[in-house]
Amino acid sequence: MFRWRDLSDVPPGFGPSVVTLGNFDGVHRGHQQVVSQLVSSARERGWASVVVTFDPHPAQVHRPGSHPGLIMGTEDKLDALEATGTDAVLVLEYTLGFAEQTTEEFVLGALVGPLGARCLVVGSDTRLGRGNSGNIDTLRELGERHGFEVRVVEDLLDPLDGEHPEHAPAGERRCSSTWIRACLQAGDVRAAARLLGRNHRVRGEVVHGAARGRELGYPTANLSPDAAGFVPADGIYAGWLVDVQGTRWPTAISVGSNPTFENVPRQVEAHVIDRPEERVEDFDLYGQDVAVEFVERLRGMVAYEGVDKLVAQMDDDVARTRELLAAEA
């Protein structure tokens, strides 16, 4: 898959193509449905398929400091889009100046011109252009004037198959990034995974911590505070750590400030379980960029009276993690 970071990266004369556009935060099952139709439409015609997305997220530009947390970082988003089979992704820098373009200026300057777009595949709620003034009708009018087709993909509704969607905001029935954030805020990583179509993950550099875990017999890989991805609710989780070689290690994960100890900042700590004894001494993750995947929340955070009770609980957490992940394999 081609990964273009600017319009200037697009080869001259590229196209014809089928294009979709959006933020795609999470690249969840609803997004995947849109991109799947993009790819199939392009293959039917023998054209290229292109996803256009934005960095930073528009909410970060228009509402700095009050924007919702992003489900995933840009690199993970590109990896997830590549897994859909699209031919290329164009990442456009989003600025206040960029947002002042009219719908026609954006469509002609970014899609029809450089990408040779002959067909746009979009979700039913697509809005674009200055003040989000453009919609599906606007795109169809532009398509008639400038020679491109518009195909609309309807929302993916209630993919959890529940009578009442789990953790969904009031009135929300479609697969959405908002719904996934609500699941993660509640610690329901199982529901988030069903909406995403894969385990939710956080990615970051492994940094040195206070080494309390090592002293207790449970060394942890501590993610940097600026790790990319939405950190779920405080608690203990079963999951996986994926190292730079792509090896997935069964892992017990702690999210929170560890109330048993004082003055501990909120952090993500991952304890890899059952490492081969012959490799333990070489298992140095410091400085590596790793991904931590969340499979299931085991419990919330609890303050224990004394280290012995804490260690006993950690023993139980690791045993439950081992059992749960064995069933997942």
Side-chain angles (χ1 to χ4, degrees):
M1 183 186 80
F2 295 109
R3 300 187 181 198
W4 299 319
R5 303 292 182 144
D6 188 83
L7 285 170
S8 62
D9 294 335
V10 181
F14 182 84
S17 69
V18 182
V19 176
T20 190
L21 65 152
N23 296 314
F24 298 104
D25 186 27
V27 193
H28 54 63
R29 289 175 59 191
H31 295 145
Q32 293 165 35
Q33 179 171 268
V34 173
V35 180
S36 176
Q37 293 207 27
L38 166 85
V39 172
S40 61
S41 295
R43 287 176 178 169
E44 287 170 4
R45 296 163 169 79
W47 297 347
S49 55
V50 183
V51 175
V52 176
T53 190
F54 310 101
D55 187 32
H57 191 290
Q60 293 177 298
V61 175
H62 293 290
R63 292 181 286 149
S66 63
H67 59 84
L70 297 184
I71 296 169
M72 57 170 39
T74 299
E75 293 308 314
D76 275 335
K77 178 165 72 172
L78 294 178
D79 289 345
L81 287 170
E82 182 168 9
T84 67
T86 188
D87 295 315
V89 175
L90 170 62
V91 182
L92 295 176
E93 181 183 8
Y94 193 91
T95 64
L96 290 175
F98 179 90
E100 283 300 305
Q101 295 178 93
T102 66
T103 304
E104 185 167 22
E105 287 172 339
F106 170 71
V107 169
L108 296 183
L111 310 182
V112 174
L115 298 176
R118 300 274 187 86
C119 177
L120 300 186
V121 176
V122 293
S124 59
D125 63 344
T126 295
R127 304 294 298 237
L128 68 166
R130 184 185 303 142
N132 280 336
S133 57
N135 56 22
I136 299 299
D137 290 337
T138 310
L139 289 176
R140 285 179 170 145
E141 291 171 5
L142 291 173
E144 291 178 0
R145 294 208 304 267
H146 299 290
F148 62 85
E149 175 191 356
V150 177
R151 296 187 62 176
V152 178
V153 181
E154 295 302 321
D155 292 333
L156 178 64
L157 298 179
D158 197 1
L160 298 186
D161 298 321
E163 183 177 349
H164 302 288
E166 300 172 72
H167 312 299
E172 184 72 277
R173 301 289 303 186
R174 66 192 183 96
C175 185
S176 68
S177 301
T178 300
W179 186 352
I180 293 167
R181 292 188 193 100
C183 291
L184 295 174
Q185 287 174 332
D188 193 348
V189 294
R190 279 281 189 193
R194 291 198 296 274
L195 290 164
L196 287 165
R198 63 186 178 281
N199 292 331
H200 174 62
R201 60 165 48 185
V202 174
R203 179 185 295 277
E205 181 183 354
V206 176
V207 298
H208 289 276
R212 289 193 182 93
R214 186 174 300 278
E215 293 170 1
L216 299 176
Y218 288 101
T220 60
N222 302 330
L223 294 194
S224 168
D226 61 358
F230 196 107
V231 178
D234 288 3
I236 305 300
Y237 297 82
W240 303 91
L241 183 146
V242 185
D243 64 22
V244 292
Q245 284 80 35
T247 305
R248 300 173 78 243
W249 300 89
T251 302
I253 307 159
S254 170
V255 176
S257 57
N258 197 334
T260 301
F261 301 98
E262 296 182 355
N263 301 318
V264 177
R266 189 170 191 260
Q267 56 192 356
V268 177
E269 302 177 78
H271 169 70
V272 173
I273 65 176
D274 300 332
R275 296 173 297 178
E277 288 299 324
E278 66 273 13
R279 293 189 56 186
V280 169
E281 294 302 319
D282 297 326
F283 198 78
D284 182 1
L285 297 174
Y286 290 120
Q288 285 193 26
D289 185 67
V290 304
V292 173
E293 295 184 358
F294 298 84
V295 172
E296 186 162 309
R297 191 175 191 236
L298 303 180
R299 63 177 176 87
M301 275 294 186
V302 178
Y304 292 93
E305 296 180 359
V307 171
D308 290 344
K309 290 185 178 180
L310 172 61
V311 171
Q313 181 61 66
M314 293 167 71
D315 291 342
D316 183 64
D317 293 336
V318 167
R320 291 180 63 197
T321 296
R322 182 183 295 112
E323 181 180 0
L324 189 149
L325 295 180
E328 290 278 315

